[in-house]
Amino acid sequence: MYFHHCIYVYLSLLSLSLCSLASCTITGAFIVPHGGIVLAPDQFNTTNATAKEHAWILHKNYRLIGQHIDDLNPDIIFLSTPHGVADSDKFMLYLNSAGQGSADTDNIQCPPACFNISANFAYGISEDIVNLFKNTFKLSGLSAFGPPGGSEYFPLRWGEVILLYTIPNLSRIQIIVMSQPSRRYTESVAMIPELLELGTQLYHYLRALNQTVVVIVSADLAHTHQKNGPYGYSDAAEPFDQACGHWAETLDSNSLLTTAAKYVDKALSCGYTGMVMLHGMLSAGQLSSWIPTLYANYHPSYYGMMLASFLPH
């Protein structure tokens, strides 16, 4: 029951006006789910009235956050995705000049429900991040169908498309996409110190850019809420989602790094590593300097979905 009315968004935007761009280069960070339900609840096949209601609440807040990001008018979006083109070991940054794809998932299929985007990439900045951090972290770059900066579109899917589709004026923004490594499936807890430090260093890098930046983490929560789901049921699902929700409301480190970590291996969350990396970024900017807001946290299907924002004071 975390629905927030539009007025809060505009009050939050007003708070941003108190901070000059020179001292607020990162103008906001967001957790956005990538399940098809949040994009197209009318395509959600269920007879459960509560599940339908939650799906529409998620969708309404998803659209609200998309407009919110657009209103912030960022030059750059830094996007962390757990369902991109992934290396088994390294974090990967996409190095083409642009990307293109559609958002078919388990809930929406194209055709008939086609949601397509193309996005311009800040590939020069992505290359710079790779060159700066490749000897410090397990990090590299990836170009598709040609050299870095090539004009061929990098392939995108639901883990990127759903997050970007809701932004009205996407074409004016350049995107940095970082793909989480596939070792996250089995090593997400072991990765916590690495993720926090990577988030810290990325924060300082992005903060120093002479451009405004919004950070988006593509994240679904536990995938084990239903016995008939593809991953079965686990009693870790609900406490994991609640711990993540409490973190999103409060930025309480213990909720994310201890409580949620205790459940994540059984809860099976694709978004956990991105959220931990984001916590490292927010911590580098001092947690007390951010206003956390949880908009919705539900699981109308077998997986949990959460929408949250973190805005500077």
Side-chain angles (χ1 to χ4, degrees):
M1 303 304 178
Y2 305 107
F3 179 71
H4 288 258
H5 296 290
C6 296
I7 187 64
Y8 183 86
V9 170
Y10 293 103
L11 288 174
S12 299
L13 288 173
L14 179 61
S15 74
L16 292 176
S17 68
L18 303 177
C19 188
S20 69
L21 293 182
S23 60
C24 281
T25 307
I26 299 178
T27 58
F30 299 85
I31 305 289
V32 182
H34 50 248
I37 292 171
V38 75
L39 174 59
D42 56 326
Q43 302 290 323
F44 179 33
N45 184 20
T46 182
T47 58
N48 185 305
T50 300
K52 286 183 178 179
E53 178 187 1
H54 290 171
W56 281 103
I57 292 172
L58 287 161
H59 174 73
K60 185 171 184 177
N61 283 282
Y62 161 77
R63 296 292 301 272
L64 185 67
I65 281 181
Q67 185 60 59
H68 191 171
I69 293 169
D70 197 69
D71 290 342
L72 291 173
N73 194 26
D75 299 309
I76 293 170
I77 288 175
F78 181 93
L79 170 61
S80 165
T81 178
H83 287 302
V85 179
D87 183 80
S88 61
D89 195 46
K90 294 181 178 180
F91 297 86
M92 304 297 290
L93 284 103
Y94 299 174
L95 300 181
N96 288 50
S97 62
Q100 187 177 69
S102 60
D104 51 321
T105 72
D106 56 327
N107 303 298
I108 52 175
Q109 295 295 320
C110 177
C114 294
F115 299 90
N116 306 307
I117 67 156
S118 59
N120 298 314
F121 287 172
Y123 65 91
I125 296 176
S126 294
E127 274 195 299
D128 191 46
I129 293 173
V130 171
N131 292 329
L132 187 62
F133 295 123
K134 65 183 178 182
N135 295 323
T136 307
F137 298 100
K138 294 179 177 181
L139 186 150
S140 189
L142 188 67
S143 60
F145 319 120
S151 59
E152 290 277 356
Y153 284 114
F154 196 98
L156 304 177
R157 290 291 300 281
W158 72 94
E160 304 102 357
V161 171
I162 290 177
L163 286 80
L164 298 174
Y165 187 85
T166 188
I167 301 171
N169 295 293
L170 183 64
S171 61
R172 74 187 183 194
I173 306 169
Q174 290 192 308
I175 316 298
I176 300 169
V177 182
M178 174 179 280
S179 172
Q180 297 281 324
S182 55
R183 60 188 163 98
R184 69 167 181 80
Y185 286 97
T186 56
E187 301 176 17
S188 58
V189 175
M191 290 170 67
I192 288 175
E194 172 189 11
L195 290 160
L196 292 173
E197 182 58 27
L198 177 58
T200 295
Q201 297 305 318
L202 287 170
Y203 172 85
H204 290 305
Y205 178 90
L206 297 171
R207 184 75 171 70
L209 292 175
N210 190 28
Q211 300 180 78
T212 55
V213 181
V214 161
V215 177
I216 307 178
V217 173
S218 175
D220 287 337
L221 302 183
H223 283 56
T224 52
H225 280 284
Q226 293 182 358
K227 183 170 61 175
N228 60 352
Y231 305 100
Y233 171 78
S234 171
D235 59 6
E238 186 65 24
F240 175 82
D241 283 14
Q242 292 304 310
C244 291
H246 188 257
W247 166 75
E249 282 187 303
T250 64
L251 283 177
D252 172 56
S253 301
N254 186 66
S255 294
L256 183 68
L257 305 181
T258 302
T259 306
K262 180 173 67 175
Y263 296 112
V264 67
D265 287 343
K266 292 182 178 180
L268 304 181
S269 168
C270 61
Y272 183 69
T273 56
M275 289 188 289
V276 173
M277 187 177 75
L278 176 60
H279 189 77
M281 298 176 79
L282 299 175
S283 297
Q286 296 189 343
L287 293 178
S288 61
S289 67
W290 302 96
I291 304 169
T293 303
L294 177 62
Y295 295 88
N297 184 2
Y298 297 112
H299 54 274
S301 183
Y302 65 89
Y303 55 93
M305 291 183 283
M306 179 174 79
L307 293 119
S309 69
F310 309 90
L311 302 176
H313 276 290

